[in-house]
Structures are given as structure tokens and as C-alpha cells.
Amino acid sequence: MSLLDVRDMRVYYKTKKGIAQAVDGVSFSVEPGQSLGLVGESGCGKSTMVNGIIRVMAKNAFIPSGEVLFDGQDLTLLPEKEMRNVRWRDLSLIPQAAMDSLNPVYPVEDAFTEVLTLKGNMTKKEAHARTVELFTMVGLDPDRLGNFPHEYSGGMKQRAAIALALALEPRLVIADEPVTALDVIVQRQVLNELKRLRSELNLALIMITHDISVVAETCDNIVVMYAGKVVEKGSTQEVLENPLHPYTMGLENAFPDPRQQDKELISIEGSPPDLVNPPSGCRFAPRCPFAMERCLAEEPPYEEVDEEHQHGAACFRLSETLKLQKLAKEVETWQPA
Ligand SMILES: Nc1ncnc2c1ncn2[C@@H]1O[C@H](COP(=O)(O)OP(=O)(O)OP(=O)(O)O)[C@@H](O)[C@H]1O
Ligand code: SF4
Ligand SMILES: [Mg+2]
């Protein structure tokens, strides 16, 4: 049994314009100790999905259907009171902009004391000892426990957010853009720290990032999202070396590759669709250089093409992958007609 098994999950927002289908039928799983990278452009539903998994959602968000099985138990059915017990202890979230989520008027240690005493049933003394241990584990000086958040650098706050997520030794940590706001050197330190902790604690990780090279270094598997849907998933190596979906091919074109210094970066024209009135058929069709008439009318089903690497995609042209991969490397292919 998978540690986390998300099945056909939907998370919608009520808005003045109507219902925004921000996450619309997403399925993927995470095994114990595995790391999964979640990628896709801004607004494709990454945060909405992980916030829905852990049920820390905006007031206007709701889950119309789908299952989130954690150890076989469907979290979408848990009453909030029971869900509170699952958060922190079984799975925890390092939210997007976690660095700003520490309460500015309290010393940093207070956030740890609260989680460890209220959720972990520790005494204040035990909580203090555990906080010192956690600080040391993520490379922070325990002498800084009494400082206020504004006295920490960005990298220190991010390490503190990671330490807090690990406080009760959950089996799954979800990190929403954990290094995006940090400079490159600190990014590397924080990523290495996460990697080390993951292997030491046999921690499963879902990491959201805009940066494909971060996934390449950190994650066993990838899920690529576009406009609220999973368009491709599989082992990291397979997805990056043998992308099946034109959107994944486009994303890869837009990122520098350290192994290919002279690579020309090509961006995908246009922007993701309005999720209140998404296009019928394939949601990527308005931007896809390979769209056919059928793509505008019918939604492509997700198909697995490589069982060993659990690699598949949702595109009508999977039988022509090699041809499309070749064309996708050419600048002209992505120029508007
Ligand atoms: N509270 C809300 N009410 C209405 N729509 C929302 C709300 N929060 C997010 N959205 C919309 O839902 C869609 C998905 O947003 P989400 O924040 O999940 O994307 P994301 O992939 O995490 O983007 P980013 O990479 O910028 O963090 C976007 O179209 C966004 O505008
Ligand atoms: S289904 Fe059609 S429009 Fe969608 S990605 Fe595949 S070729 Fe492009
Ligand atoms: Mg986000």
C-alpha cells in the first residue's frame, strides 16, 4: 500500500465569476521514503492541491470529489478534529512563503513549543530539549532560539520552517517552494539539508518547485501539472530524458541545463487558461504546437506507456513521441503561427 494515494482529486474555488476548477481530477501516489517533485507554471494548481491534501484551504475552496488515502485512510472524510491530529504527526506542510509564516511578535522557539506541547503532548522542558535537537539537526545555532523572526536571515527562517515541519517526525513532508525565495548558495545548503534529513529519517517528500533542475537533483519521481490536471508523471530520469507530453517538452526547453552550456532557452508562448471557463478538450491545446482538431473537442485520457517507470501522459499523440521530441527542440515550433 502506498503511503499517500491521491485519487481523482478535485479542489474548486467559489469566485464572483463562477467556480474555478483549480485542481480537476488529479491522481498520483507516494511510497514510504520516496520523494516526488511537483512542477508546472504559476497558477497551475500546485499549492491548491497540497493545501487540499492537508486540508489547510482558503475559505472559498472546497473538495467536490476525490480521495486522499494516507496509509489507506481517506483524509477528505476525516472530521476537522481528527485531521488536526494527523497534521504535524503524520504529515506536515512547509507552506509557500513559510519564512513569513512565523509569528513576528513571538520568539521563534514559541512556535516549536506550541506544536510540541499541544500536538506532541510534551512538557515544556521536553519541548525545549527537542527544539534544541531540531535546531542542531537543520544547522541552526540553538543560541538563536529566543530571537524574533525578523532577527533571522531568509535562509535561517527557511531552516526553522523545515525543523518545525519535522518536529513530530511525520512520515511525509510537503514542501511548497522551499527554496525559491533564497539566494543560490543558501538554496543549495537548504536542499542538501533536506536530502540528508530525508535519508536519515526515511522521510517521504513532496516538493513543489518551478525549477526542474531542483527536481532532477532531489526527487525520485515527477508529476507535471497544467491548468489543474496531471499531464505527465513518472520516474524523474524517464520524464526528463524522454518527455511524452508537449507541455513537459516546452517546460524543459525553458530551463538551463548544466550539462548543455550552449542550450538555447525557448519559452512557451501565451499563458495558462481561465479555470472558471477552461477550454474544452485538452487544456493545453491553445498553446500546443502539435494540437489537432480532436484536441479541441475531446479531453485526452491519461495513459501509462512504461509500466516499469510508471511513466505516462495525457496526450492524443503519444504514438508519435520521438517525432514530437525532435520538433519540440526547434525554436520555430514554438513561434506563434
Ligand atoms: N482563494 C482563491 N480563490 C480563487 N481562486 C484562487 C484562490 N487561490 C488560488 N486561486 C486560483 O487557483 C489557481 C491555482 O492557484 P495555485 O496557487 O494553486 O497555483 P500554483 O501552481 O501554486 O502557482 P504558484 O506557482 O504561483 O505558486 C490559479 O488560477 C489561482 O488564481
Ligand atoms: S492532446 Fe493535443 S493539444 Fe493536448 S498536448 Fe497532446 S497534441 Fe497537444
Ligand atoms: Mg503555489
Side-chain angles (χ1 to χ4, degrees):
M1 185 169 53
S2 300
L3 180 63
L4 179 75
D5 195 359
V6 176
R7 293 185 186 169
D8 205 17
M9 186 192 190
R10 291 183 164 73
V11 186
Y12 291 176
Y13 290 109
K14 284 182 196 135
T15 74
K16 281 192 187 133
K17 279 168 45 199
I19 302 286
Q21 303 164 14
V23 171
D24 204 23
V26 162
S27 301
F28 65 90
S29 55
V30 182
E31 305 305 319
Q34 238 184 19
S35 57
L36 179 108
L38 190 54
V39 299
E41 280 163 297
S42 185
C44 70
K46 305 179 299 292
S47 296
T48 303
M49 188 174 70
V50 296
N51 293 343
I53 289 174
I54 205 160
R55 296 234 319 260
V56 184
M57 303 194 292
K59 281 211 176 70
N60 60 332
F62 63 103
I63 301 178
S65 62
E67 291 173 311
V68 177
L69 303 174
F70 186 83
D71 253 352
Q73 182 181 39
D74 188 354
L75 299 184
T76 64
L77 302 176
L78 280 190
E80 176 53 27
K81 203 171 149 210
E82 284 176 46
M83 190 62 206
R84 267 186 233 137
N85 293 330
V86 172
R87 269 184 229 123
W88 300 101
R89 277 185 221 165
D90 293 321
L91 70 166
S92 64
L93 174 73
I94 305 169
Q96 194 162 6
M99 305 198 301
D100 305 322
S101 66
L102 293 165
N103 193 328
V105 299
Y106 294 108
V108 174
E109 181 166 14
D110 285 23
F112 287 78
T113 314
E114 188 182 325
V115 168
L116 293 165
T117 55
L118 294 181
K119 311 272 178 196
N121 299 321
M122 289 187 191
T123 63
K124 281 207 166 152
K125 201 172 158 198
E126 286 166 341
H128 177 71
R130 173 74 178 142
T131 309
V132 169
E133 193 177 280
L134 287 163
F135 259 52
T136 311
M137 187 165 79
V138 298
L140 285 172
D141 182 353
D143 284 349
R144 304 293 294 267
L145 275 171
N147 288 167
F148 289 87
H150 72 266
E151 297 173 285
Y152 278 32
S153 68
M156 287 170 72
K157 278 193 262 188
Q158 199 60 23
R159 280 171 195 259
I162 293 170
L164 190 60
L166 297 175
L168 295 179
E169 299 186 354
R171 279 171 296 157
L172 172 69
V173 168
I174 302 171
D176 193 348
E177 305 268 8
V179 295
T180 305
L182 305 174
D183 68 55
V184 179
I185 294 171
V186 185
Q187 273 194 9
R188 180 125 319 278
Q189 290 170 349
V190 171
L191 283 176
N192 286 342
E193 210 62 56
L194 261 180
K195 230 183 201 172
R196 186 179 62 79
L197 293 168
R198 224 169 60 68
S199 64
E200 260 173 38
L201 308 173
N202 192 32
L203 193 71
L205 174 74
I206 297 177
M207 181 152 77
I208 295 181
T209 172
H210 280 93
D211 192 337
I212 288 188
S213 58
V214 167
V215 182
E217 268 184 53
T218 325
C219 300
D220 304 314
N221 296 311
I222 297 191
V223 168
V224 183
M225 275 184 83
Y226 183 75
K229 307 252 182 204
V230 170
V231 294
E232 179 159 0
K233 61 188 172 186
S235 76
T236 301
Q237 194 175 355
E238 271 305 304
V239 173
L240 294 187
E241 283 178 10
N242 183 26
L244 301 172
H245 197 282
Y247 181 61
T248 316
M249 297 175 199
L251 273 188
E252 279 193 47
N253 281 339
F255 273 91
D257 184 343
R259 294 165 302 179
Q260 242 185 296
Q261 298 289 351
D262 57 347
K263 176 180 161 187
E264 184 175 7
L265 301 186
I266 314 167
S267 56
I268 310 173
E269 289 290 321
S271 46
D274 174 11
L275 295 171
V276 174
N277 289 303
S280 53
C282 174
R283 287 188 181 181
F284 187 53
R287 300 170 77 191
C288 180
F290 311 123
M292 314 173 295
E293 214 158 291
R294 183 183 183 193
C295 308
L296 303 173
E298 273 175 66
E299 186 178 336
Y302 179 85
E303 275 177 58
E304 189 166 88
V305 299
D306 173 353
E307 204 179 328
E308 188 194 343
H309 300 100
Q310 296 175 334
H311 188 192
C315 172
F316 286 124
R317 303 191 65 172
L318 293 177
S319 60
E320 302 166 84
T321 297
L322 287 178
K323 183 173 112 191
L324 302 194
Q325 283 173 347
K326 212 164 156 224
L327 286 169
K329 291 210 167 87
E330 291 167 17
V331 183
E332 302 77 54
T333 300
W334 297 91
Q335 277 165 354

